[in-house]
Amino acid sequence: MNLLKRLNNPVLFNEWKMRMRNRRSAWMLFFYLLVLGGITLTYIFLETEGGAYFNPNRTRELFMLLSILQLGMIFFVVPGLTAGVISGERERQTLNILLTTNVSATRLILGKWLASLSFMTFLVIATIPLYAIVFLYGGISPGQLFQVFVFYVVTMLGIGSVGVLLSTLIKRSGIATVLSYGIFFCYSIGTLILAEIIRELIQYYQRANNLPRTPVEWVDHMYSINPLFALLSIFGEGPANNMQLYPNSWLAQIDPFWLFSAFFGIVTLFSLLLSIYLIQPVRPRLFKAAAKE
């Protein structure tokens, strides 16, 4: 009974009702499926050259293309859904009212966070028939299909938590949204550039000291925190293939997918805890004393 009371989050249920009754949600779902479905069917049409035969060997490429497009849509939609959940309440001057109710800061943050991500989860689940069309041709294992959807959930949780944190820190929804897009764009590009720079520096050091040019496994693992390369690692593509060069290294035995999940899990937990702390009307004395010192 106590567990049911804890799970009863009025903020979450109210957000679900408001979001699902909105006409914009239905149109957003329609255009989301229209874009992904149109790209998938166009790819099949071009591969068959308008005929009736589709080479099953190209199914893997189509599945990877669809997965990357879905990942791009997540990065495009989730920041817009989450970066204004708290700042929007502040702009409508309803945040102080919510904080004076029986709803705790933890329930408020988790309710807003889960309500925003639930709509994106609904969009992802709605694309299952598209994946089923591709899956029927073969070339993809059920385990990879399941892993891809788990990857989407982990990515959405991480991006959404950062969006909620920015919405808590910044008073204007527009600024928080733009900053959220900027952070994840720089993160996606920056992790790739940083890994390439470190790789080049190591190779330069090896050449300068006449050392054998051997790859370093931890550098290859740096690509794992990049969402694109983490997704490609599920299909055995990208830098994940280099891990076969280190058969005796324990670090090389770590699956890039789990490394990415652990990293985004830490980001999610840190962002949510910080958001809950910042939004609390009365903060713990320990933190107040530390701030005064």
Side-chain angles (χ1 to χ4, degrees):
M1 196 69 178
N2 294 329
L3 180 60
L4 293 177
K5 290 182 178 179
R6 292 181 180 180
L7 294 177
N8 184 16
N9 191 325
V11 176
L12 177 60
F13 295 151
N14 183 62
E15 289 288 328
W16 275 345
K17 292 178 181 178
M18 293 179 60
R19 192 174 297 274
M20 293 306 173
R21 289 175 180 176
N22 194 346
R23 291 183 179 180
R24 186 175 61 179
S25 300
W27 282 108
M28 192 172 181
L29 174 62
F30 172 76
F31 285 111
Y32 188 84
L33 295 177
L34 181 64
V35 171
L36 291 181
I39 293 175
T40 302
L41 296 177
T42 301
Y43 182 90
I44 295 177
F45 178 80
L46 293 177
E47 285 295 323
T48 58
E49 297 181 354
Y53 173 76
F54 178 70
N55 187 0
N57 295 327
R58 307 301 298 271
T59 304
R60 191 166 179 270
E61 298 178 5
L62 177 57
F63 191 90
M64 292 173 58
L65 175 63
L66 183 59
S67 301
I68 293 174
L69 289 175
Q70 183 93 289
L71 177 63
M73 296 296 288
I74 290 174
F75 268 83
F76 180 75
V77 175
V78 173
L81 292 175
T82 58
V85 291
I86 302 299
S87 57
E89 296 289 347
R90 188 182 287 111
E91 291 173 348
R92 292 188 294 269
Q93 299 182 354
T94 55
L95 179 60
N96 292 332
I97 299 176
L98 286 174
L99 293 175
T100 57
T101 61
N102 294 330
V103 178
S104 63
T106 302
R107 284 190 175 185
L108 176 59
I109 292 295
L110 293 181
K112 292 288 188 178
W113 175 59
L114 292 175
S116 301
L117 294 181
S118 62
F119 181 71
M120 187 65 217
T121 304
F122 178 65
L123 294 180
V124 173
I125 294 176
T127 60
I128 290 180
L130 296 178
Y131 283 91
I133 294 174
V134 181
F135 187 74
L136 287 175
Y137 288 101
I140 299 296
S141 66
Q144 288 177 323
L145 179 63
F146 176 77
Q147 203 170 8
V148 165
F149 278 87
V150 173
F151 173 82
Y152 290 151
V153 173
V154 172
T155 305
M156 287 188 292
L157 293 178
I159 297 176
S161 64
V162 175
V164 172
L165 176 60
L166 293 176
S167 181
T168 306
L169 291 171
I170 301 174
K171 296 181 179 180
R172 297 293 182 182
S173 299
I175 299 176
T177 303
V178 172
L179 185 59
S180 179
Y181 280 114
I183 287 176
F184 284 108
F185 177 78
C186 295
Y187 167 76
S188 302
I189 303 299
T191 50
L192 173 61
I193 295 176
L194 180 61
E196 289 293 335
I197 291 175
I198 294 177
R199 181 189 295 275
E200 291 297 327
L201 289 176
I202 292 177
Q203 292 180 356
Y204 174 78
Y205 176 81
Q206 292 174 347
R207 291 194 302 268
N209 294 275
N210 295 322
L211 298 175
R213 298 182 60 181
T214 57
V216 183
E217 57 268 29
W218 66 267
V219 178
D220 291 327
H221 267 309
M222 287 190 64
Y223 291 96
S224 300
I225 62 176
N226 184 283
L228 177 60
F229 288 104
L231 178 61
L232 291 177
S233 67
I234 298 177
F235 306 100
E237 300 291 340
N241 288 333
N242 296 335
M243 295 303 168
Q244 301 176 359
L245 302 175
Y246 323 108
N248 299 322
S249 175
W250 66 271
L251 189 60
Q253 305 303 320
I254 301 177
D255 192 342
F257 169 78
W258 294 114
L259 185 62
F260 173 84
S261 300
F263 177 76
F264 260 55
I266 294 173
V267 170
T268 302
L269 183 61
F270 173 79
S271 300
L272 291 177
L273 290 178
L274 185 57
S275 300
I276 294 171
Y277 167 70
L278 292 175
I279 205 175
Q280 287 178 346
V282 180
R283 299 173 186 174
R285 293 182 178 180
L286 177 63
F287 292 97
K288 283 188 174 181
K292 291 181 179 179
E293 294 178 359

